[in-house]
């Protein structure tokens, strides 16, 4: 009998070629001797040995020059996003002095950015799943650069709020750069590469602080906003050369374009292209439903989605809370030994209460930002050794312990800087571990909208955090830090009860593959 066992592939397109499948004559010749085997194999989908899927091609072609270029391009987008986020902790005190705004208005300048991100994240995810990751990122880069420049010449506080809200709407697309990047990475390198992408985030944050140190004392916040759009302009110019995801092309039925992309990977990496025919799997059956948000709550995905939404919300709440608390704690470090800080009976908008950030404040902010680098490498080690779920859970617990030490009464500024340094590194590692896990757990047809929905929930947490880090902190440091500690501990529990550990597993192309993976994890 001329039956060859497949390598675990599945032929979903229903086509057959001469020499690749069993012919009727071959079956009739072996009817007497191999009838039981034929009956047994009749229910098994067989793929010819001369076929391959996108996952197999990406793994076979490995990590090379193609991925290096994509790392730099994606990293530039990540760097621009980081600069726009870091500037929030610098902009609020500057606006307080420029327009004498209140504490609640200061918090609003941060909240409006995250509101725009929350409202747009699922929109960009849906757009990416329907029309491609490249097109969404290109539009995002143009909008970010344009409205970032406009916000630098805003004539009033209300215009700043409006334009920064639009900037936040555009920033909601930047997580899709991780989706695009992860879909081109071999399974063995995926986790460490996505985590290392945080180096660009940390680099962007450090660059923003250094830029503020030079620009703010002389030129002011308007020039800081304008100069911070530099990486955005560079990324917008690079976007025409961004590759479109081969997995997206397969999921949308564009096999010819997917094959062209795979051939480009082989050429850039100096590897021979795989021989045979590209199999389209059964993503074609899911193509009418690509990017539907409600599909994130189908039975096989519901628990994962709900838990991830809470984890991302808590992670952003804790991360951006720490970023905002850094400047606030340094500004009021002399009063931190009291539960009730200076009375607010005077009008907060009085110019006499304005305090510009000093050089030592920027240097301490720079040191705490540098903490993300050791956090990255610690996450790389633990995420490969212990898995994604345990890594996130343990880091959340360590973060909770660190923020509790922020209430310790000490006149030593170095102690405060060290605890902020440690907590910043840990929570940055959690964020990157979440960025590794989320694209891995969702199928291709829902991957972008899955990441987008998680990003939207993260922005919800980030919207709330200014009122804790900038308003509640002025009333009680211990109460504010306790809120962050409790949120981190609850998120750690959510990480543990996630149904699937994605370490070492292939990315699913559709919901059916995800259901099989979920069932295997449950059985194990």
């Amino acid at each position: 009998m001329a039956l060859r066992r497949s390598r675990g592939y599945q032929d979903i397109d229903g086509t057959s070629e001469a020499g690749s499948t069993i012919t009727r004559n071959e079956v009739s010749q072996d009817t007497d001797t191999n009838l039981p085997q034929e009956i047994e194999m009749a229910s098994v989908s067989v793929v010819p040995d001369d076929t391959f899927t996108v996952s197999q091609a990406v793994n076979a072609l490995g990590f090379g020059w193609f991925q290096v270029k994509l790392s730099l391009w994606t990293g530039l987008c990540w760097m621009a996003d980081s600069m726009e986020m870091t500037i929030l902790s610098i902009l609020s005190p500057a606006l307080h002095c420029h327009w004498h705004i209140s504490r609640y208005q200061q918090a609003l300048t941060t909240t409006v950015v995250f509101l725009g991100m929350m409202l747009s994240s699922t929109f960009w995810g849906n757009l990416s799943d329907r029309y491609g990751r490249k097109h969404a990122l290109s539009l995002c880069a143009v909008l970010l650069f344009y409205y970032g420049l406009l916000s630098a010449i805003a004539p009033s506080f209300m215009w700043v709020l409006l334009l920064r809200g639009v900037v936040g709407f555009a920033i909601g697309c930047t997580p899709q750069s991780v989706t695009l990047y992860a879909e081109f990475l071999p399974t063995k390198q995926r986790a460490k590469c996505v985590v290392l992408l945080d180096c660009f985030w940390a680099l962007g944050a450090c660059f923003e602080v250094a830029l503020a140190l030079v620009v703010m004392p002389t030129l002011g916040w308007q020039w800081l906003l304008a100069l911070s759009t530099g990486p955005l302009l560079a990324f917008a110019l690079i976007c025409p050369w961004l590759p479109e995801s081969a997995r997206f092309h397969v999921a949308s039925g564009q096999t010819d374009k997917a094959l062209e992309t795979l051939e480009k990977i082989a050429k850039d990496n100096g590897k021979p292209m795989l021989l045979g025919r590209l199999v389209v799997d059964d993503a074609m059956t899911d193509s009418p439903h690509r990017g539907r948000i409600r599909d994130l709550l189908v039975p096989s995905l519901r628990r994962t989605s709900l838990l991830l939404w809470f984890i991302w919300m808590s992670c952003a709440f804790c991360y951006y809370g720490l970023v905002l608390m850094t400047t606030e704690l340094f500004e009021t470090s002399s009063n931190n030994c009291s539960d009730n800080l200076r009375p607010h009976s005077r009008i907060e908008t009085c110019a006499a209460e304005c305090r510009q950030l000093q050089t030592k404040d920027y240097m301490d902010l720079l040191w705490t930002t540098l903490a993300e680098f050791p956090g990255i490498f610690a996450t790389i080690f633990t995420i490969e050794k212990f898995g994604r779920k345990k890594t996130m859970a343990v880091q959340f617990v360590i973060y909770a312990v660190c923020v509790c030490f922020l209430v310790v009464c000490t006149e030593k500024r170095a102690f405060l800087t060290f605890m902020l340094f440690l907590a910043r590194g840990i929570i940055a590692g959690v964020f990157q571990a979440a960025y590794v896990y989320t694209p891995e757990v969702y199928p291709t047809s829902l991957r972008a909208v899955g990441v987008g929905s998680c990003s939207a929930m993260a922005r919800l947490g980030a919207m709330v955090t200014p009122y804790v880090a900038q308003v509640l902190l002025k009333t009680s440091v211990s109460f504010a830090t306790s809120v962050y500690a409790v949120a981190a501990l609850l998120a750690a529990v959510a990480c543990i009860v996630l149904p699937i550990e994605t370490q070492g597993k292939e990315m699913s192309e559709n919901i059916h593959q995800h259901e099989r993976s979920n069932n295997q994890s449950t059985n194990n």
Side-chain angles (χ1 to χ4, degrees):
M1 183 176 179
L3 177 64
R4 292 178 296 175
R5 287 185 176 273
S6 68
R7 300 173 183 170
Y9 311 154
Q10 290 185 329
D11 187 11
I12 313 298
D13 57 3
T15 60
S16 61
E17 299 178 1
S20 299
T21 57
I22 308 170
T23 64
R24 293 183 179 178
N25 292 334
E26 290 171 334
V27 174
S28 61
Q29 291 173 3
D30 292 337
T31 300
D32 297 334
T33 56
N34 294 317
L35 183 58
Q37 184 178 5
E38 180 191 352
I39 296 174
E40 179 183 355
M41 297 298 295
S43 61
V44 180
S45 297
V46 179
V47 168
D49 289 340
D50 60 348
T51 64
F52 60 90
T53 63
V54 173
S55 294
Q56 292 154 3
V58 170
N59 284 325
L61 297 175
F63 187 95
W65 178 239
F66 180 89
Q67 283 79 10
V68 171
K69 291 190 298 182
L70 189 59
S71 299
L72 296 175
W73 294 339
T74 308
L76 188 60
C77 178
W78 216 226
M79 181 178 175
D81 184 9
S82 172
M83 292 176 66
E84 291 296 329
M85 292 296 98
T86 305
I87 204 173
L88 295 176
S89 61
I90 301 170
L91 184 62
S92 293
L95 293 180
H96 173 61
C97 293
H98 187 80
W99 279 311
H100 305 158
I101 60 177
S102 67
R103 284 286 173 185
Y104 285 96
Q105 288 175 313
Q106 280 187 260
L108 189 60
T109 59
T110 302
T111 299
V112 72
V113 176
F114 291 119
L115 177 62
M117 296 171 73
M118 185 191 71
L119 294 177
S120 68
S121 292
T122 51
F123 163 79
W124 290 113
N126 182 278
L127 198 70
S128 298
D129 276 331
R130 288 182 178 273
Y131 304 106
R133 287 72 161 123
K134 176 180 177 178
H135 295 305
L137 286 170
S138 300
L139 179 59
C140 154
V142 173
L143 291 176
L144 265 176
F145 174 70
Y146 180 69
Y147 287 103
L149 274 181
L150 284 183
S151 61
I153 57 174
S156 66
F157 176 68
M158 292 305 298
W159 271 106
V160 169
L161 288 182
L162 176 62
L163 292 171
R164 296 309 292 176
V166 179
V167 167
F169 185 90
I171 293 177
C173 185
T174 54
Q176 301 309 326
S177 62
V178 180
T179 303
L180 176 66
Y181 183 54
E183 290 182 332
F184 279 114
L185 293 173
T187 303
K188 291 183 179 179
Q189 285 84 24
R190 189 187 304 131
K192 64 181 67 175
C193 288
V194 173
V195 174
L196 280 172
L197 200 62
D198 193 44
C199 287
F200 290 95
W201 176 279
L203 185 63
C206 292
F207 181 74
E208 185 64 37
V209 174
L211 185 65
L213 179 61
V214 175
V215 172
M216 288 294 289
T218 55
L219 300 176
W221 62 269
Q222 292 95 337
W223 276 98
L224 180 63
L225 285 177
L227 294 175
S228 297
T229 60
L232 290 170
L233 176 61
F235 182 71
L237 296 175
I238 287 172
C239 278
W241 286 273
L242 273 179
E244 183 54 270
S245 169
R247 293 179 187 269
F248 166 76
H249 281 147
V250 164
S252 58
Q254 305 176 65
T255 54
D256 292 340
K257 292 184 178 180
L259 195 57
E260 290 177 4
T261 303
L262 293 175
E263 289 172 348
K264 180 172 178 55
I265 297 175
K267 180 180 178 181
D268 287 351
N269 290 357
K271 297 286 185 69
M273 182 60 188
L274 274 67
L275 300 177
R277 179 168 54 88
L278 177 62
V279 177
V280 186
D281 291 345
D282 56 359
M284 287 291 292
T285 61
D286 289 335
S287 58
H289 308 302
R290 294 196 316 272
R292 285 200 319 193
I293 299 175
R294 65 182 181 183
D295 286 341
L296 298 176
L297 296 176
V298 297
S300 61
L301 287 171
R302 185 182 299 122
R303 181 180 172 188
T304 299
S305 295
L306 293 176
L307 288 172
L308 278 178
W309 290 347
F310 178 73
I311 290 168
W312 277 70
M313 182 174 64
S314 301
C315 189
F317 177 75
C318 294
Y319 177 85
Y320 292 112
L322 193 69
V323 172
L324 295 175
M325 275 199 303
T326 299
T327 52
E328 294 296 329
L329 287 174
F330 287 148
E331 183 181 348
T332 59
S333 59
S334 60
N335 298 318
N336 281 345
C337 294
S338 173
D339 285 335
N340 296 317
L341 299 182
R342 66 174 180 266
H344 290 274
S345 56
R346 293 181 299 174
I347 300 175
E348 287 189 354
T349 55
C350 177
E353 294 184 0
C354 168
R355 178 186 179 276
Q356 296 280 4
L357 295 178
Q358 304 299 315
T359 300
K360 64 178 181 179
D361 297 317
Y362 286 116
M363 293 305 299
D364 286 333
L365 186 59
L366 181 62
W367 276 112
T368 56
T369 304
L370 288 172
E372 297 200 14
F373 287 103
I376 292 168
F377 297 110
T379 302
I380 290 175
F381 172 76
T382 56
I383 203 171
E384 291 290 1
K385 188 175 181 63
F386 302 106
R388 284 69 162 139
K389 293 166 51 178
K390 291 181 180 178
T391 297
M392 290 189 290
V394 171
Q395 287 179 323
F396 267 126
V397 172
I398 297 176
Y399 171 85
V401 174
C402 289
V403 295
C404 288
F405 278 101
L406 295 178
V407 301
V408 175
C409 179
T410 177
E411 296 298 327
K412 295 183 178 179
R413 190 181 178 96
F415 176 80
L416 177 62
T417 303
F418 174 76
M419 295 312 303
L420 289 170
F421 179 94
L422 186 58
R424 178 74 174 265
I426 291 296
I427 196 62
V430 179
F431 232 138
Q432 286 310 113
Y435 267 110
V436 172
Y437 181 86
T438 306
E440 289 180 336
V441 79
Y442 283 113
T444 299
S445 56
L446 296 172
R447 184 166 297 127
V449 74
V451 173
S453 66
C454 288
S455 178
M457 296 306 296
R459 309 317 164 188
L460 180 61
M463 284 170 56
V464 177
T465 205
Y467 297 98
V468 179
Q470 293 180 316
V471 178
L472 181 61
L473 187 74
K474 290 296 181 181
T475 302
S476 173
V477 174
S478 59
F479 190 17
T481 54
S482 297
V483 172
Y484 289 111
V486 171
L489 292 176
L490 291 176
V493 175
C495 293
I496 293 296
V497 298
L498 281 168
I500 298 176
E501 172 56 67
T502 60
Q503 182 183 13
K505 292 186 178 181
E506 296 286 349
M507 283 181 160
S508 302
E509 300 297 337
N510 48 73
I511 294 179
H512 305 301
Q513 288 185 9
H514 176 83
E515 289 175 348
R516 289 195 295 270
S517 177
N518 197 359
N519 292 334
Q520 291 174 1
S521 299
T522 302
N523 294 334
N524 293 336

